[in-house]
Amino acid sequence: MRAHRITFAALVVAAGLSLTACQNDDDATGASDPSSASSASAASSSGGGSGSGGSEQDSGKDTAGSDGKGTAAPADSGSSSGSGDSGTAPKCTTDGLKITAQDGFIEGDPDGSVVVGLTNGSGADCVISGFAGVDLKTNAGTISATRKGEPGDPYILKNGKEVDFYVSYPLNESGGSGVRITGLVVTPPNETKSVTLDWPGNSSLPVTDGSGSPVLVGPIGSAGQGG
């Protein structure tokens, strides 16, 4: 009986030592291998840094804008003159336009016609609309053309492109010398500087008491678009 008690007691002590050893091994493993906590911390730090950096990069791309200028470029309407949207382009100026005039009379028309062309040679797109000022220089004084028609919306005249308008005038069919035309003075819309051109139409106007057809000018674009 004594031998059995000693054996049982020895087994209990051995079991206790074994359990203690296991616990110590677990504690030592946890203390020496911080991979769980370190990995979680690194993952959290890495994830936050990546999110912040990505946000800044995306913001940088958005800030650059679609055209690098911070404003949307005007869309082209497909016509030679450009777009109906004036956008941010400056107005067309006399110095930036090449102005020409040619006879536009068609046989059978009751009145004479001259087509005035405005070509943008400024090196950049510009905005134009409304009516140009037109004066006929004659041996009897200056005759100012009367506006006819409704002006269109402002639009972009592309660099190198042309827009036209017409000038109509009564034909001198009296057989007399009439009023001799010596020049055509054109002032682009919203400008004060004029250009004087040779008159390409009939050389004279009929002498009237004011009851005849006046000299008329159509809005920008009224004679179609040039190339």
Side-chain angles (χ1 to χ4, degrees):
M1 179 62 75
R2 180 178 178 83
H4 288 300
R5 289 178 179 176
I6 291 174
T7 301
F8 179 77
L11 291 174
V12 171
V13 172
L17 292 174
S18 177
L19 180 60
T20 300
C22 289
Q23 292 175 342
N24 289 339
D25 290 343
D26 291 341
D27 293 341
T29 301
S32 63
D33 182 15
S35 60
S36 177
S38 297
S39 298
S41 175
S44 175
S45 175
S46 174
S50 174
S52 174
S55 175
E56 290 177 0
Q57 291 173 358
D58 292 343
S59 176
K61 292 178 181 178
D62 292 339
T63 301
S66 60
D67 62 355
K69 297 181 181 180
T71 57
D76 193 340
S77 67
S79 69
S80 63
S81 60
S83 168
D85 179 7
S86 62
T88 58
K91 74 173 184 177
C92 298
T93 64
T94 304
D95 290 336
L97 294 170
K98 178 183 178 181
I99 304 176
T100 58
Q102 61 182 349
D103 188 10
F105 175 69
I106 298 176
E107 192 67 35
D109 285 352
D111 295 316
S113 179
V114 166
V115 176
V116 178
L118 306 176
T119 301
N120 181 6
S122 66
D125 299 346
C126 61
V127 179
I128 192 167
S129 66
F131 289 86
V134 170
D135 297 297
L136 269 58
K137 297 173 66 176
T138 76
N139 61 341
T142 299
I143 299 175
S144 296
T146 300
R147 296 177 177 180
K148 180 179 181 181
E150 294 296 327
D153 293 331
Y155 58 92
I156 301 295
L157 181 61
K158 299 293 186 180
N159 182 50
K161 297 299 183 179
E162 176 183 335
V163 63
D164 303 328
F165 65 89
Y166 74 87
V167 177
S168 68
Y169 61 95
L171 297 173
N172 181 16
E173 298 174 335
S174 65
S177 59
V179 176
R180 186 167 57 87
I181 304 173
T182 59
L184 171 65
V185 182
V186 177
T187 308
N190 303 309
E191 282 287 276
T192 57
K193 185 176 182 179
S194 302
V195 173
T196 300
L197 306 172
D198 292 334
W199 175 250
N202 283 9
S203 60
S204 65
L205 300 173
V207 177
T208 68
D209 56 3
S211 60
S213 300
V215 177
L216 302 174
V217 57
I220 297 296
S222 58
Q225 312 301 337

